[in-house]
Amino acid sequence: MNKYSDKIKSVLTDLGLSLLSIIVALIVGTLFIYLTDKSPLDAYSALYIGAFGSFRAIVNTLWRSTPLILTGLAVALPFRAGLFNIGAEGQLLMGGFTAGIVGFYFTSLPTIIHLPFAIIAGMFVAGLWGGLPGVLKAKLDVHEVIATIMLNYIAMALTINYGINLFKETGRPATPRIMKSAAMFNFNNMNKYPFLKDLPLSDLFSQPAIRLHLNFFLAVIAAVILWYLLFKTTLGYELRAVGFNPDGAEYGGIKASKSIITVMFISGAVAGLAGVGEVLGTHFSFMQGMDAGYGFTGIAVALIGQTHPIGVILGGLLFGALAQGGLEMQFSGIPSEIVMLIQALVIFFVAALQVFKVYLAKRKAKGGVE
Amino acid sequence: METLTKIFSLSLILASFRFATPLILAALGGIFSERSGVVNIALEGMMLFGAFAAVYGSASTGNPWIGVLYSMIAGLSFAAILALVCVTFKANQIVVATGINIFASGITIFLLQVLFGVKGTSPMVNRLPAFRIFDVRFNPITYIALILVPVAWFILFKTHWGLRIRSVGEHPAAADTLGINVNKLRFISVLISGVLAGLAGAHLSIGDGSAFVREMSAGRGFIALAAMIFGKWHPFGAFGAAMLFGFAEAVAVRVDFAFIPSELISAIPYVLTLVVLAGFFGKSTPPAASGEPYYKGEK
């Protein structure tokens, strides 16, 4: 009984700290809006309307949150094992690039084979890209932060600079368009399918500029799988034990090195799925700029979600809403970079408030002894 | 053969100095910070903000030297945030530095619009005077960077103060028992790294060029981090690495290879750093307490 009430208390504390960071970030954000001679109230109402003001806005908020949920998960999972994955950006690029190549290279596969093949290939390559720093950490004691930073830039050179240049003849900074058979299902096309068109919302989904596609659901499924893995399996228990106390875990018979490599591979694959979805669902080719810093925003998403998979979904939705609403703000003459500033502020405040939480816990512990 | 002569032409080697300048400065900054026990992956953001501030200073006063001053203040201000949140309040250094990098991208583009009314590139401003050696422009910041290498070495390895910085990065608790103020030294070291990274930014915007372009640091803060590691956290080592990476950049810009695509040459610093970290060229070990906040009264 007591155990449950403690658990609820800790979840509420986490939720409270996250909400507090967001509110403080929005308040500090008003200072920047003042610099533009616009009213913060107008700016934030534009932000809100842009993100939630209509059916289309809400659906596109879900669309924008998709890669953020995935990169957020890719940061959150290793965080639980005491590892900091700054490499989601590079993993996303490797996954997206691979999916883009598989997507256009095979010309005569049916969707049922082509699409899963492209998704799995992208996730696998991204998994290897994430697993490499895991191996370096586990076997050679190379710090994963530095390794993943370096791999980000190597991935950029390989995919954006070198990879795209291989296809100069397309005339745009992108790989050739993927085949229809590799494209993810888009909700805008509901009306074209015999059963789906009879579903209640199909008319609403058919209005122009609806961008939501299959990958949002894959992202939610990924979050649920990772939640299960983290809290209901032995592997998850080991991961959390390693994160809590690596030496203690080793002493208790857990092979930390194996856990590190596994978690980094999974994390890379999940970040890769973000890139896969952008290529197969949003842009239909791997293009320059498609990563849009999702790998780094993912860090903010993971933190605001308190590195809990379900929290990460909520964090991803929040940042997706900021991104979608930021467009509307841009239309009313306020630079959408305000959104980036708010994201950065959220990171500062979550980090700072986390310290507050540790301080409270310490004081409580001390109080118990004295 | 022709390619070889091109690679080792004098002008190319001189150009390497130009490309290496921001790497040398930021890497020296990184050394101060990490030697004192604070990982600084925000060099990138500090450099970017410094580059912007330099252009703003030059634009608003017409004097590029004021721009240099502004760039150092800009780097210092971001460093103060990092130091306050991470050293004083003991927050996660990587998290906060990531926040600073995102903030730097956002604030520079935002201020471009607010202060200059443009989105991508600032108006042209007065740049620092240049001294030509053969056909390569050298701006004063390159000379400053070259002078600062032995200065940093002297401070860190030949003065009491430098010894203290290194001691709080290796064993803060031991330093503390000897009466050294761990957090104060770390705070100052982080501030030094910010000033140097900001100055590196000024080199990019008003030394090498004469305008600010969005995201113009383009990963150089991280290459500087790589140079620091490659140089084993030592000023002369980092200088050598920065020169090597600067040379690679100069080669990638100027020479066409038939066998290695020039797009991949840009990745050489990163690959080399991984190879070095993996221990293929002898072990490269960071200061022992790097990244760990120091709590007084704990082991």
Side-chain angles (χ1 to χ4, degrees):
Chain A
M1 191 60 199
N2 205 5
K3 189 184 148 202
Y4 278 106
S5 74
D6 269 3
K7 201 173 172 185
I8 289 169
K9 225 179 184 175
S10 114
V11 168
L12 284 180
T13 315
D14 282 350
L15 207 62
L17 284 177
S18 288
L19 282 175
L20 191 62
S21 331
I22 295 162
I23 291 166
V24 177
L26 287 173
I27 292 171
V28 177
T30 58
L31 296 179
F32 294 104
I33 299 170
Y34 272 121
L35 288 177
T36 65
D37 294 329
K38 301 276 195 265
S39 122
L41 205 64
D42 288 352
Y44 287 147
S45 69
L47 192 70
Y48 178 80
I49 290 169
F52 303 110
S54 63
F55 180 79
R56 184 194 292 151
I58 294 170
V59 169
N60 283 349
T61 287
L62 300 183
W63 163 62
R64 292 219 181 248
S65 64
T66 306
L68 299 175
I69 292 172
L70 287 164
T71 53
L73 290 172
V75 177
L77 184 71
F79 210 93
R80 290 275 171 164
L83 297 166
F84 208 133
N85 178 17
I86 306 238
E89 190 80 10
Q91 293 144 16
L92 179 154
L93 287 170
M94 294 305 283
F97 185 71
T98 307
I101 299 292
V102 173
F104 87 84
Y105 190 77
F106 298 94
T107 51
S108 52
L109 291 176
T111 297
I112 191 103
I113 295 170
H114 199 180
L115 178 59
F117 178 41
I119 294 174
I120 290 166
M123 289 181 73
F124 182 71
V125 171
L128 294 180
W129 205 253
L132 180 59
V135 173
L136 288 173
K137 168 93 180 178
K139 302 291 178 199
L140 298 164
D141 203 25
V142 176
H143 201 292
E144 78 283 0
V145 168
I146 304 296
T148 50
I149 287 173
M150 300 303 143
L151 285 167
N152 277 343
Y153 282 95
I154 297 170
M156 279 180 211
L158 278 177
T159 60
I160 297 175
N161 300 337
Y162 179 65
I164 287 179
N165 255 356
L166 292 176
F167 304 101
K168 272 188 193 126
E169 65 274 19
T170 58
R172 54 191 189 118
T175 58
R177 244 182 116 78
I178 58 163
M179 297 294 138
K180 275 215 166 68
S181 52
M184 284 184 174
F185 170 76
N186 191 303
F187 284 80
N188 207 196
N189 297 332
M190 266 177 93
N191 266 354
K192 296 176 188 149
Y193 292 85
F195 300 106
L196 298 174
K197 73 175 179 206
D198 299 327
L199 290 174
L201 290 175
S202 71
D203 280 345
L204 280 172
F205 274 114
S206 318
Q207 54 180 313
I210 292 272
R211 309 291 303 272
L212 185 68
H213 53 75
L214 175 70
N215 212 39
F216 175 74
F217 292 92
L218 297 184
V220 173
I221 291 169
V224 173
I225 291 175
L226 290 189
W227 169 80
Y228 186 82
L229 181 127
L230 203 50
F231 295 105
K232 303 286 164 193
T233 66
T234 318
L235 176 66
Y237 173 76
E238 290 179 355
L239 289 182
R240 286 182 291 132
V242 169
F244 195 67
N245 182 349
D247 298 330
E250 194 90 30
Y251 188 69
I254 294 167
K255 283 200 81 171
S257 69
K258 196 178 139 219
S259 306
I260 288 170
I261 296 171
T262 313
V263 73
M264 286 303 290
F265 178 85
I266 296 172
S267 157
V270 171
L273 183 58
V276 168
E278 288 307 285
V279 170
L280 303 182
T282 300
H283 301 295
F284 306 111
S285 60
F286 176 85
M287 53 189 349
Q288 197 181 333
M290 57 142 259
D291 47 314
Y294 293 138
F296 297 109
T297 314
I299 296 169
V301 170
L303 292 172
I304 200 82
Q306 303 286 347
T307 64
H308 188 290
I310 308 306
V312 169
I313 295 182
L314 297 175
L317 289 173
L318 171 81
F319 279 72
L322 284 174
Q324 177 66 22
L327 286 180
E328 188 70 30
M329 233 168 47
Q330 184 96 23
F331 290 140
S332 58
I334 299 152
S336 62
E337 279 71 31
I338 291 276
V339 167
M340 270 177 106
L341 298 181
I342 292 173
Q343 288 175 357
L345 290 169
V346 166
I347 297 183
F348 291 147
F349 293 123
V350 176
L353 289 174
Q354 206 63 39
V355 177
F356 184 65
K357 194 174 135 187
V358 172
Y359 171 77
L360 279 184
K362 271 206 176 136
R363 214 177 62 165
K364 201 176 158 194
K366 262 192 188 161
V369 177
E370 278 163 5
Chain B
M1 200 55 215
E2 201 188 332
T3 317
L4 268 183
T5 40
K6 257 190 194 165
I7 291 180
F8 293 104
S9 72
L10 188 61
S11 78
L12 199 68
I13 289 170
L14 291 174
S16 318
F17 277 99
R18 222 181 72 206
F19 285 112
T21 301
L23 308 180
I24 295 169
L25 286 168
L28 290 178
I31 290 171
F32 270 96
S33 181
E34 289 225 0
R35 282 284 182 176
S36 81
V38 181
V39 173
N40 186 353
I41 64 163
L43 292 169
E44 175 78 8
M46 294 170 183
M47 195 189 288
L48 185 64
F49 193 45
F52 179 85
V55 162
Y56 179 68
S58 180
S60 56
T61 63
N63 183 349
W65 289 103
I66 302 287
V68 171
L69 183 68
Y70 276 29
S71 74
M72 294 193 284
I73 295 172
L76 183 82
S77 64
F78 275 15
I81 297 175
L82 183 69
L84 183 73
V85 184
C86 296
V87 177
T88 312
F89 294 117
K90 322 248 187 309
N92 185 313
Q93 296 164 6
I94 307 293
V95 170
V96 176
T98 305
I100 289 179
N101 287 335
I102 295 177
F103 191 79
S105 294
I107 195 76
T108 49
I109 303 171
F110 174 77
L111 289 176
L112 264 183
Q113 294 173 63
V114 174
L115 297 173
F116 294 111
V118 292
K119 283 208 82 168
T121 306
S122 77
M124 301 290 263
V125 299
N126 290 337
R127 63 197 288 181
L128 289 168
F131 306 99
R132 274 177 193 278
I133 298 179
F134 298 94
D135 61 336
V136 183
R137 281 176 49 101
F138 275 125
N139 72 71
I141 297 178
T142 299
Y143 296 106
I144 295 173
L146 293 177
I147 294 166
L148 284 178
V149 175
V151 170
W153 167 79
F154 186 81
I155 292 176
L156 279 171
F157 293 96
K158 296 289 157 192
T159 66
H160 284 296
W161 197 64
L163 178 65
R164 286 183 189 151
I165 289 182
R166 288 184 290 128
S167 72
V168 300
E170 286 292 340
H171 205 314
D176 196 8
T177 52
L178 295 173
I180 295 171
N181 188 336
V182 175
N183 286 339
K184 187 176 150 198
L185 268 177
R186 286 186 170 181
F187 207 106
I188 294 170
S189 301
V190 173
L191 292 184
I192 292 173
S193 79
V195 171
L196 292 172
L199 188 59
H203 170 85
L204 295 177
S205 63
I206 60 170
D208 216 18
S210 48
F212 177 83
V213 184
R214 62 186 289 172
E215 306 288 359
M216 79 183 306
S217 50
R220 287 188 183 83
F222 293 116
I223 300 190
L225 207 66
M228 174 192 77
I229 295 165
F230 201 86
K232 300 189 176 173
W233 289 267
H234 192 287
F236 289 126
F239 168 72
M243 282 303 295
L244 179 68
F245 296 167
F247 181 67
E249 197 179 344
V251 169
V253 170
R254 295 198 174 191
V255 185
D256 269 329
F257 288 102
F259 48 100
I260 316 175
S262 64
E263 301 96 336
L264 291 184
I265 291 179
S266 65
I268 287 175
Y270 307 114
V271 176
L272 281 179
T273 303
L274 282 182
V275 171
V276 167
L277 278 174
F280 291 113
F281 295 150
K283 197 63 195 159
S284 184
T285 319
S290 188
E292 305 286 330
Y294 177 65
Y295 293 93
K296 220 175 162 66
E298 279 181 13
K299 263 186 241 169

